[in-house]
Amino acid sequence: MGAKRKSSKKRVLVRGEPVVRGVLEATLEELALVGYGALRIEDVAARAGVNKTTIYRRWPMKQELVDAALHSVTVARIIQPDTGSLRGDLLEIGRHMATLMSSAEGQALRRILIAEERNPEFMAIAGLLRESMDALPLPVIEAARTRGELAPGLESVLPFQVLAASVQHRLFMERRGIDEGYLEQLVDLILLGALAPDKRK
């Protein structure tokens, strides 16, 4: 890329989970700095303050390391809500989406995805990440169906896709924050089409 590398503070890590967390954070930082194609394990190791063999033992290939780093700020941070209603679950998911997308890691991830959209190897990794993200609402959907909340014939992931797209549009296109009032209006609007007729108020 020709970008001038910035000096970074070398992390001092102990063994175990802190090492894993430090390596994944360093991987995301390197991705944001040089891109996927130019990312080298040696540079990630230097940034994380570990020996490169420490990385290779856990992630033998660069693709595996990058996949783990992307999951660490998306899938791994999501807690499945269980509020007892689809409305409550959507509100919880919306709050989490807003927090994640607004965070430094979330914004960096968005920039990386845009910058690497023409790299087929990276986009294959991103595709696997998208599949994992799409699977996350399945327990919420199943619970809503068991309660008889969802309208017959509804494409079950559609409410979650609309929620994510709306939150992203407000944050990145409108440059506006997500407050509770906006989130409640958005979820209630989605539910008008998602709820079974006898569940609508």
Side-chain angles (χ1 to χ4, degrees):
M1 281 192 176
K4 185 178 180 181
R5 292 185 57 85
K6 297 179 181 178
S7 61
S8 58
K9 292 183 179 179
K10 190 174 183 179
R11 294 180 176 88
V12 179
L13 301 173
V14 295
R15 294 177 65 83
E17 188 60 31
V19 171
V20 172
R21 186 167 58 250
V23 169
L24 297 180
E25 289 174 357
T27 302
L28 290 171
E29 291 168 4
E30 283 293 312
L31 270 174
L33 181 63
V34 304
Y36 179 80
L39 184 139
R40 301 190 316 148
I41 299 299
E42 293 84 348
D43 295 330
V44 172
R47 184 179 287 273
V50 299
N51 193 294
K52 65 180 180 181
T53 57
T54 300
I55 297 178
Y56 280 119
R57 277 198 297 268
R58 190 177 184 99
W59 302 283
M61 300 179 65
K62 181 171 78 170
Q63 297 96 313
E64 295 172 336
L65 175 61
V66 170
D67 180 64
L70 297 181
H71 272 73
S72 72
V73 292
T74 53
V75 177
R77 293 193 181 183
I78 294 178
I79 299 174
Q80 293 288 356
D82 186 14
T83 66
S85 73
L86 180 58
R87 184 178 189 273
D89 288 349
L90 283 172
L91 285 170
E92 281 295 304
I93 291 172
R95 293 183 191 110
H96 178 81
M97 285 179 178
T99 299
L100 175 60
M101 291 182 189
S102 301
S103 68
E105 295 95 335
Q107 294 183 45
L109 177 58
R110 180 172 177 270
R111 289 193 295 270
I112 292 166
L113 289 170
I114 293 172
E116 298 293 335
E117 63 182 358
R118 294 186 179 180
N119 185 315
E121 188 172 295
F122 180 85
M123 293 313 294
I125 298 171
L128 293 175
L129 176 65
R130 192 173 299 112
E131 289 178 8
S132 297
M133 294 293 289
D134 288 344
L136 287 173
L138 295 181
V140 174
I141 294 167
E142 184 59 33
R145 288 204 183 282
T146 300
R147 292 189 297 261
E149 290 183 289
L150 289 177
L154 177 75
E155 186 176 342
S156 55
V157 298
L158 190 57
F160 302 92
Q161 293 173 339
V162 173
L163 178 63
S166 299
V167 169
Q168 181 171 316
H169 186 276
R170 186 172 176 91
L171 287 173
F172 301 123
M173 301 300 291
E174 299 180 22
R175 301 291 182 181
R176 300 170 67 186
I178 305 290
D179 58 32
E180 193 67 14
Y182 168 81
L183 199 55
E184 289 183 359
Q185 289 184 50
L186 174 59
V187 167
D188 288 341
L189 180 62
I190 293 171
L191 289 177
L192 283 175
L195 285 178
D198 63 334
K199 298 293 182 180
R200 299 172 188 170
K201 295 182 179 179

